[in-house]
Amino acid sequence: MLKYQQIANEIQHDIEKKDLPQGTKLPVLETLMSQYKTSKSTVIKALSLLERKGLVYQVRGSGIFVRRRNRKGYISFSNQGFSDELSGFDITAKVLELDIRKPSAEVAFNLKIDSEDDVYYVKRIRYINGQILCLEESYYNKDIVTYLNNEIATGSIFDYISNALGAKIGFSDMYVHIQKLNEDEASHLGLLVGDPKLFVETIFYLNNGLPFDFSRISYNYEQSQFFFQSTGYSL
Amino acid sequence: MLKYQQIANEIQHDIEKKDLPQGTKLPVLETLMSQYKTSKSTVIKALSLLERKGLVYQVRGSGIFVRRRNRKGYISFSNQGFSDELSGFDITAKVLELDIRKPSAEVAFNLKIDSEDDVYYVKRIRYINGQILCLEESYYNKDIVTYLNNEIATGSIFDYISNALGAKIGFSDMYVHIQKLNEDEASHLGLLVGDPKLFVETIFYLNNGLPFDFSRISYNYEQSQFFFQSTGYSL
DNA sequence: CATTATAATTATACCGGTATAATTTATCAA
DNA sequence: TTGATAAATTATACCGGTATAATTATAATG
């Protein structure tokens, strides 16, 4: 792990361990430099990382301060996406469908592949702490996600892609809508037709810019509480 | 304006002016350095800014590339919040209520003030391109937002706070829910009771960490299409 | 005591350098 | 032509420095 990431982790763990409240001032840069035996720029980079994670804020001429924490029961939604920030929640999945197929025009467009190329199609229900969280339909570029099965799809597919396939997940584009549930969705989510849903279309890219996953997710509105922190641009 | 922000702007304008498609490779660092007559670190900082804005992505050993753009009609939702990213949309507002009052316990808690301190309360409907976008209730700490009137609240209150009051807006915490409209909301949004809504509670902070605005917003689901880009943490 | 001016503190901008890791291109061998 | 190997390209990590701007603490002033 990189030095600045390591330092960021240690500072984060320190904040969490000591349960520091909002507004607590952290040691000044100079102190952090000697504490972690590193240069100023590396400390700054670590702090910038923590600032973008929403853990601290920095005030020029004043100091570095601890930022407010999440409300309980809210899913933290960083600019990393949902999936990794689910610590503290019990996430499981039930696979409804899993097959290899040819993509529709829309899917092919979003994955930047030809309509003759193969994709893995996965339809599943995801649970959070035993409650139905969402209904997900995902299309994976088979050239990148070379293999999938039921067992893998029952767990975290992204963990599998990162760890087993060794691919590096980069960024994503999300298109968010508020809509009413249709019949199929309502039955899977255990809700009524016309009930609210959060509907999100996402294209996930590897860190080299290749799209590997196009997904459509309908969230159960009863479980949909998200915590989101903005940071401003001047980092 | 800072040099690295200036450079980021110029690169952004260049991308938009030339309408460069996704995947287009930008000049290499060395070229950008001489092009903008600045040091490596400053160029890197400018590019890091653009990366967090979702405009480019960088691949080590390969280059800097243009990222996908927004779909038409979607409100771009950066980690800056909604308000500033509404270029291309016509945003207006109608003020329903505006007064000075004592905060409830919840409002006082979120603004970190005493229940005896004054707040400005503003209730208004915001329109996007003539359509009803949302119903907003906001509480402003009167020690910070010292004056408000109907005319100001008809426009952008944040612009007023930044420009006229000279305060620097820093970051925000958002709590997002999907719910059903109640009677009051439905009547103001021109929708039916039970229709979906995106309900967002936000605490806005100045750049020195002081909370100055606590707001509750109910979005019209028919106008609620948001574009959101995640970036990964390794910037 | 309140206000103002000054100094100290502190984070940030900006510079330019070396070393490193990932990718791409060129080279060579089979 | 293919596949492996080496070299070149390119972004990133990390260093340490000076200058600057914002804030906070201190001193001076009325």
Side-chain angles (χ1 to χ4, degrees):
Chain A
M1 176 170 289
L2 297 171
K3 201 166 185 175
Y4 77 94
Q5 291 176 330
Q6 185 60 43
I7 293 170
N9 281 347
E10 289 184 35
I11 294 174
Q12 175 167 3
H13 291 147
D14 200 50
I15 291 172
E16 288 166 356
K17 202 185 77 187
K18 294 183 184 163
D19 202 33
L20 301 178
Q22 197 214 30
T24 305
K25 185 172 177 176
L26 295 183
V28 300
L29 273 183
E30 194 113 357
T31 309
L32 292 172
M33 281 170 63
S34 57
Q35 191 169 328
Y36 293 104
K37 294 178 183 31
T38 186
S39 71
K40 188 175 41 172
S41 3
T42 304
V43 174
I44 288 175
K45 207 153 188 218
L47 289 169
S48 166
L49 191 59
L50 290 175
E51 188 159 18
R52 281 190 296 112
K53 278 195 178 189
L55 265 101
V56 304
Y57 61 94
Q58 301 179 68
V59 185
R60 186 166 184 168
S62 181
I64 306 146
F65 304 92
V66 174
R67 197 167 157 185
R68 171 168 198 163
R69 291 203 303 285
N70 191 353
R71 286 184 192 165
K72 205 171 178 181
Y74 283 72
I75 298 172
S76 181
F77 180 84
S78 72
N79 57 344
Q80 182 86 296
F82 296 84
S83 14
D84 355 49
E85 296 287 341
L86 293 172
S87 52
F89 293 98
D90 175 35
I91 304 288
T92 54
K94 182 172 77 182
V95 179
L96 302 176
E97 295 181 51
L98 194 160
D99 56 57
I100 296 172
R101 56 173 69 173
K102 304 295 180 190
S104 70
E106 187 196 0
V107 171
F109 172 78
N110 282 306
L111 290 179
K112 289 197 201 317
I113 56 175
D114 194 85
S115 59
E116 291 307 309
D117 294 332
D118 283 328
V119 297
Y120 267 106
Y121 169 73
V122 181
K123 182 174 183 177
R124 55 181 188 166
I125 298 175
R126 306 193 77 184
Y127 301 86
I128 183 165
N129 299 331
Q131 305 290 315
I132 296 174
L133 173 65
C134 64
L135 174 66
E136 173 193 318
E137 289 184 290
S138 263
Y139 302 84
Y140 298 91
N141 180 344
K142 191 169 174 297
D143 284 342
I144 297 171
V145 183
T146 47
Y147 179 72
L148 264 186
N149 65 24
N150 229 286
E151 195 199 335
I152 294 166
T154 302
S156 168
I157 295 178
F158 274 38
D159 281 354
Y160 164 73
I161 291 172
S162 301
N163 302 330
L165 298 181
K168 284 174 208 144
I169 296 168
F171 48 91
S172 63
D173 293 334
M174 303 185 39
Y175 301 91
V176 179
H177 316 74
I178 314 296
Q179 296 174 352
K180 294 180 183 177
L181 289 172
N182 65 31
E183 205 167 325
D184 179 57
E185 294 159 352
S187 70
H188 282 115
L189 295 176
L191 298 170
L192 301 175
V193 174
D195 274 352
K197 72 173 178 197
L198 179 68
F199 179 67
V200 184
E201 287 187 333
T202 310
I203 304 154
F204 292 95
Y205 300 82
L206 298 181
N207 72 337
N208 63 5
L210 284 176
F212 70 96
D213 176 19
F214 173 65
S215 78
R216 300 192 190 97
I217 304 186
S218 299
Y219 285 89
N220 179 347
Y221 76 101
E222 292 173 329
Q223 308 297 332
S224 296
Q225 297 192 121
F226 302 109
F227 175 53
F228 179 79
Q229 297 183 293
S230 85
T231 51
Y233 281 139
S234 344
L235 301 188
Chain B
M1 176 170 289
L2 298 172
K3 202 166 186 176
Y4 78 94
Q5 291 175 330
Q6 185 60 44
I7 293 170
N9 280 347
E10 289 183 35
I11 294 174
Q12 175 168 2
H13 291 147
D14 200 51
I15 290 172
E16 288 166 355
K17 202 185 76 187
K18 294 182 186 165
D19 202 33
L20 301 177
Q22 197 213 30
T24 305
K25 184 172 177 177
L26 295 182
V28 300
L29 273 183
E30 195 114 357
T31 310
L32 292 172
M33 281 170 61
S34 57
Q35 192 169 329
Y36 293 104
K37 294 177 184 30
T38 186
S39 71
K40 188 175 41 170
S41 3
T42 304
V43 174
I44 288 175
K45 206 151 189 219
L47 289 169
S48 166
L49 192 59
L50 291 175
E51 187 159 20
R52 280 190 299 114
K53 278 193 176 191
L55 266 101
V56 304
Y57 61 94
Q58 301 178 68
V59 184
R60 188 165 183 168
S62 181
I64 306 147
F65 303 92
V66 174
R67 197 165 158 185
R68 170 168 199 164
R69 291 203 303 287
N70 192 353
R71 287 183 191 166
K72 206 172 177 181
Y74 282 70
I75 298 172
S76 180
F77 180 85
S78 72
N79 57 344
Q80 182 83 298
F82 296 84
S83 14
D84 355 47
E85 296 287 339
L86 294 171
S87 53
F89 293 98
D90 175 35
I91 303 289
T92 56
K94 182 171 80 181
V95 178
L96 302 177
E97 296 181 50
L98 193 160
D99 56 57
I100 296 173
R101 56 173 71 175
K102 304 295 181 190
S104 69
E106 189 196 358
V107 172
F109 172 78
N110 283 306
L111 290 179
K112 288 197 203 314
I113 57 176
D114 193 87
S115 58
E116 291 308 308
D117 295 332
D118 283 328
V119 296
Y120 267 106
Y121 169 73
V122 181
K123 182 174 183 176
R124 57 182 186 164
I125 298 175
R126 307 195 76 184
Y127 301 86
I128 183 165
N129 299 331
Q131 305 290 315
I132 296 173
L133 174 63
C134 64
L135 174 66
E136 172 191 318
E137 289 184 291
S138 263
Y139 301 85
Y140 297 91
N141 181 345
K142 193 170 172 295
D143 284 342
I144 297 171
V145 183
T146 49
Y147 179 72
L148 264 186
N149 65 23
N150 229 286
E151 196 199 337
I152 294 167
T154 302
S156 168
I157 296 178
F158 273 38
D159 281 354
Y160 164 73
I161 292 172
S162 300
N163 302 330
L165 298 181
K168 283 173 210 144
I169 295 168
F171 49 92
S172 63
D173 292 334
M174 302 183 43
Y175 301 91
V176 179
H177 315 75
I178 314 297
Q179 296 174 352
K180 295 180 181 178
L181 289 172
N182 64 33
E183 206 167 323
D184 180 57
E185 294 159 353
S187 70
H188 282 115
L189 295 176
L191 297 171
L192 301 175
V193 174
D195 273 352
K197 72 172 178 197
L198 180 67
F199 179 68
V200 184
E201 287 187 333
T202 311
I203 304 155
F204 292 96
Y205 300 83
L206 299 181
N207 73 336
N208 64 5
L210 285 175
F212 70 96
D213 176 20
F214 173 65
S215 79
R216 298 193 191 96
I217 304 184
S218 299
Y219 286 89
N220 180 346
Y221 77 101
E222 292 172 328
Q223 307 298 329
S224 297
Q225 297 192 123
F226 303 107
F227 175 52
F228 179 79
Q229 296 183 294
S230 84
T231 51
Y233 282 139
S234 345
L235 301 186

